[in-house]
Amino acid sequence: MTLRTHKIGAHGLVSSVEGLGTMGMTAMYGTPDEAEAIRTVHRAVDLGVTMFDTADMYGPFSGEELLGRALRGRRDGLVVATKGGGVTLDGSGRFVGGPNGGPDYLRACVEGSLRRLGTDHIDLYYLHRVDPGVPVEESFGALAELVTEGKLRHLGISEASPASIRAAHATAPLSAVQTEYSLFSRDVEVNGVLDTVRELGIGFVAYAPLGRGFLTGAVRSVRDLPAHDFRRTSPRFADANLARNLSLLDQIVATADELGVTPGRLALAWVLAQEGVTAVPGTKRRTWLEENVAAAAVRLDPATLAGLSAAIPVGAAAGERYAPMGMASIQE
């Protein structure tokens, strides 16, 4: 099991077709296990994963610190991706406000991320959310200066509208746009985001390609989730919505059974089969990592891809992707 690589965008960024999302290693998905998380990062490197995705708000701060420790001595040849500006954090990591795209704040974010990651440059840096109070051109003007200084190599933007993507790209060329994308979250197919990145030659990075674990079939009730798991507050896992979503999941399970693969491998293989898409499934355990990497070897014929797309069409999933506060910062 060694992952193939491909180009992301038109500016020289190359990565494995799957990266590793690290949010759950220190936050959001139950009790952290640092030792297992670090072993998972090391195993990912062994399997050919070259992109590692984090953000300053994961923890906050502890996600970047953990990734920095895990990659110490293993940094060469890897794509370290992080994000800033998704929320406003003070120096101690306390949440003090919403999205912040102010140039001075972003510069401070980058300096903090470099320090916590223990590196002299960040390979891919995303504006985590667009700040409605700051023109996106100002945000990317500041990030472009940091590219010139050598602190950032490539730029990206997360959960942005086509208009914001265009404005950012015109200011400082983007290598990647990151947005949630899976069989259960296909909005980018109809809201212009995928069309825009393909037109402009920007790579697309899909986070939560397994529907936050739901598409693996491991979660059939909120009782299957740890006590401090944020999915307990997610509308898609709420009782009424969950019942409808389970009926959709059963169609994935039936197709997976026919093909002799697990539901998670099938769902992730569908994402990887989409044009120009890099997936960053998140996990904090080696078992799930190896399951995800194995999905890259699953080849789906056109009929199977079309059948899955038809069985779970755009908008079929019940419930919003986030609770109202999270949805408020997403551009559509």
Side-chain angles (χ1 to χ4, degrees), residues 57-187:
M57 67 180 288
Y58 298 167
F61 297 164
S62 58
E64 290 181 326
E65 292 168 344
L66 184 147
L67 184 59
R69 289 193 296 274
L71 292 181
R72 191 170 297 135
R74 299 169 181 252
R75 176 76 169 82
D76 290 349
L78 301 181
V79 175
V80 174
T82 192
K83 316 174 201 72
V87 297
T88 306
L89 302 168
D90 67 13
S92 64
R94 184 179 58 179
F95 172 84
V96 294
N100 191 334
D104 290 343
Y105 181 73
L106 290 177
R107 179 172 282 276
C109 286
V110 169
E111 296 293 351
S113 292
L114 288 166
R115 183 175 63 254
R116 288 185 291 271
L117 289 164
T119 186
D120 63 355
H121 71 276
I122 293 164
D123 300 283
L124 175 58
Y125 191 84
Y126 296 97
L127 180 66
H128 204 165
R129 295 291 186 268
V130 176
D131 181 348
V134 176
V136 74
E137 294 90 342
E138 290 186 18
S139 300
F140 277 86
L143 295 176
E145 292 175 0
L146 290 159
V147 172
T148 300
E149 294 171 19
K151 295 177 179 179
L152 307 178
R153 295 282 173 85
H154 298 273
L155 298 178
I157 195 169
S158 181
E159 293 288 4
S161 68
S164 290
I165 293 167
R166 289 182 184 278
H169 188 61
T171 304
L174 298 180
S175 290
V177 168
Q178 185 180 107
T179 297
E180 184 171 351
Y181 186 43
S182 71
L183 275 167
F184 264 30
S185 298
R186 297 175 59 190
D187 297 342

